[in-house]
Amino acid sequence: MSIAGTRSDPPAWRLLLDYVRPHRWALLAGALLSLVTGGTGLLLPLVARGLIDDLSHDRTITGALLAMSALVVANAALGALGSYVLRRTAESVVLGARRALSSYLLRLRIAAVDRSEPGDLMARITSDTTLLREVTTDSLVGLGTGGLTLVATVVMMGLVDPVLLGVTLAVIAGAGTVLTLILPRINRASRQAQDAVGVMGASLERILGALRTVKASGAEEREERTLHAAAEESWRQSVRAAKWAAAAGNTAALSMQVAFITVLAVGGARVATGAIDIGTLVAFLLYVFYLMQPIQQVVGAITQYQTGTAALSRIQEALHLPAEPPSLPAQLPSPGAEPAALAFDDVRFRYADDLPYVHHGVTFAIPAQGMTAFVGPSGAGKTTVFSLIERFYDPESGAITLDGRDLAEWELSGLRSAIGYVEQDAPVLSGSLRDNLLLGNPDADDDAVTRVLKTTRLDGLVARLPKGADTLVGHRGTRLSGGERQRVAIARALLRHPRLLLDEATSQLDAVNEAALRDTVADVARTTTVLVVAHRLSTVTMADRIVVMDAGRVRAVGTHRELVTADPLYAELAATQFLATAG
């Protein structure tokens, strides 16, 4: 999926300068070294002309040979040093771009992530930023140093023989006309190639993210065709860009070959008429040879700039996605912090303008401390309540308050530091079990971790693991069972000492694990505010209050005993969904 830009961007060259600015002095040093390298090369034809004059007049050539040798060695040494400085600077530019983009992507609003393909975002932070390396060295520096060297070479050629210079420039002008027709095609092809890489990344992420489902469905061959089609499209567009880039490069090379032949013919005629001597012709021909490098450097710089423009455009599109404001991490609540009170007042919400409303004026109030269970049919809007509390999304109208203060007035880091969130699918990240437990509170000590492991009945698991809590849990926690992953998510939330605990996963545990954690949640509810999405009667009966939701509205609020007789929907849910696990 392509990400559409939301505003007009400054020119690509200005964006490039923004990335380069922090490294401008290193870039300048590399450019100066390249210029000095070019300067030593420009002196070689003059020394060669002097050598020929010495030979023609039977003078010693030792000095000229030593000078040429010194220039060649200096040219090689300075060229190597300049190349290293430029490459190192280019890598620093890429590093800066990746840091900026990765930091921004971590702050993206969930709504923006919902509309994007993760694989395409990954391509922007990997392949697109990589192109900045070539743009920095080949385009920005290449255009500067190559352009200056080109001008200096033309000046020297004019000093040697203005007539032959006019012949050379006429040939180059013809090649320049052809290049102006080719370069826009490189830009279009490069952009389409990078878009195709993003599509391929999105396809791969989609397949790997559900590889077990793909295998279980016998869909490997169909998904393979999808992935191969994306890869082939990327290949086609990249080959198209390479074709036009090759055409540009060969046009420049051909122009220099034509210039050499023309200069040789015209220069030979001028030598024959005595207008110039043979040494002047040899020096000019050497300059023609030398002119090839800066011209190809300039053409390569412009060609690479077209590719870099496409990459910069895609990077800027990602940087224009809606993001949360940056904020410093907030201090977590102390273990004895007061529980939080929560209220929804006529909240209306939908996930996008073209989608139906999920909440149609939801209103309820949750006092500080105790357990509140949310029940209702699938699609009633229960999970959306938790997403709005975390401010993953903002309501379209109405108000949500925490401790009487509108959520919009809270700094995001401060709001989320007060909340422990246990998601329905209880995601576990790659790494060790300890890494996952400390994700929300990296400063928790070993005693706190031990207590939480015991509370969530994970101490037995840790005892069985080969490296205890330092054992790797695999990609997305594949080495853990579903119940273990959910208990890890609960333990991770409890380590944050939340003033408000949002629990979607407990009710999704199997009966044995759910019973094991029932008392834990009840204990937590004595000191904090707990909101649970409930699917079992055992969870509901231990709640202090129950919020019954249906079709995006709150139907009723009360205890289990009150609602069984007062609300028909709740009575039906209790009979059909909860009763099987009662007792």
Side-chain angles (χ1 to χ4, degrees), residues 57 103 174 430 432 465:
H57 293 89
S103 296
S430 297
S432 70
L465 293 175

Side-chain angles (χ1 to χ4, degrees), residues 345-350 357 359-362 388 394-398 553:
D345 182 15
D346 196 26
V347 170
R348 289 173 59 83
F349 171 75
R350 54 183 171 177
Y357 281 94
H359 284 174
H360 305 269
V362 171
L388 291 174
D394 293 320
E396 189 169 297
S397 63
R553 291 182 172 86

Side-chain angles (χ1 to χ4, degrees), residues 3 19 96-114 116-129 314-326 416:
I3 299 173
Y19 285 109
R98 285 177 174 167
R99 281 177 170 173
L101 187 54
S102 59
S103 296
Y104 191 85
L105 293 181
L106 285 173
R107 299 199 314 272
L108 285 183
R109 292 192 179 277
I110 297 298
V113 178
D114 291 342
S116 307
E117 291 283 0
D120 185 53
L121 293 177
M122 290 168 57
R124 293 169 195 256
I125 205 172
T126 52
S127 64
D128 287 337
T129 54
R314 283 172 48 84
I315 292 172
Q316 287 305 115
E317 285 178 0
L319 291 174
H320 286 167
L321 290 171
E324 297 170 347
R416 291 171 182 166

Side-chain angles (χ1 to χ4, degrees), residues 121-198:
L121 293 177
M122 290 168 57
R124 293 169 195 256
I125 205 172
T126 52
S127 64
D128 287 337
T129 54
T130 299
L131 288 176
L132 293 181
R133 178 191 303 123
E134 282 71 27
V135 175
T136 303
T137 53
D138 296 346
S139 183
L140 189 62
V141 175
L143 188 62
T145 59
L148 289 175
T149 304
L150 179 62
V151 170
T153 305
V154 168
V155 170
M156 297 299 291
M157 293 171 75
L159 294 175
V160 172
D161 189 71
V163 175
L164 293 180
L165 174 61
V167 172
T168 305
L169 292 180
V171 175
I172 294 175
T177 303
V178 177
L179 289 175
T180 57
L181 302 176
I182 294 176
L183 294 177
R185 299 175 185 271
I186 297 175
N187 182 284
R188 288 194 297 270
S190 298
R191 174 58 198 250
Q192 291 169 352
Q194 288 304 107
D195 285 343
V197 170

